[in-house]
Amino acid sequence: MQDQGGESVVSRGERMEAAEREAAKRRILAQAEAERIPVEETTRAVPDRRWRRDRQG
């Protein structure tokens, strides 16, 4: 009888841990999505006029 009770407690604990891991994963993904920088902003070329000025002079 104790084995069955112990197994259900372990199973319940494992289920709780799995639910906590899933919740943490969702929080991390939501935070990453909120902080995400669109690729258009990271690949836009900006001319460096100082470099051109130095090269022409």
Side-chain angles (χ1 to χ4, degrees):
M1 241 157 98
Q2 288 180 339
D3 289 338
Q4 284 183 336
E7 287 177 16
S8 66
V9 169
V10 170
S11 297
R12 190 180 324 137
E14 289 174 351
R15 285 194 303 268
M16 288 177 64
E17 286 181 13
E20 289 173 1
R21 281 194 301 273
E22 185 64 28
K25 184 169 70 170
R26 289 182 186 184
R27 284 193 303 270
I28 291 168
L29 289 173
Q31 181 180 358
E33 181 64 25
E35 295 176 356
R36 185 178 69 86
I37 298 172
V39 70
E40 294 83 20
E41 292 183 19
T42 62
T43 58
R44 185 176 10 198
V46 178
D48 189 349
R49 291 184 178 91
R50 292 170 297 162
W51 181 82
R52 286 196 218 155
R53 193 174 358 172
D54 292 343
R55 299 291 270 173
Q56 289 175 354

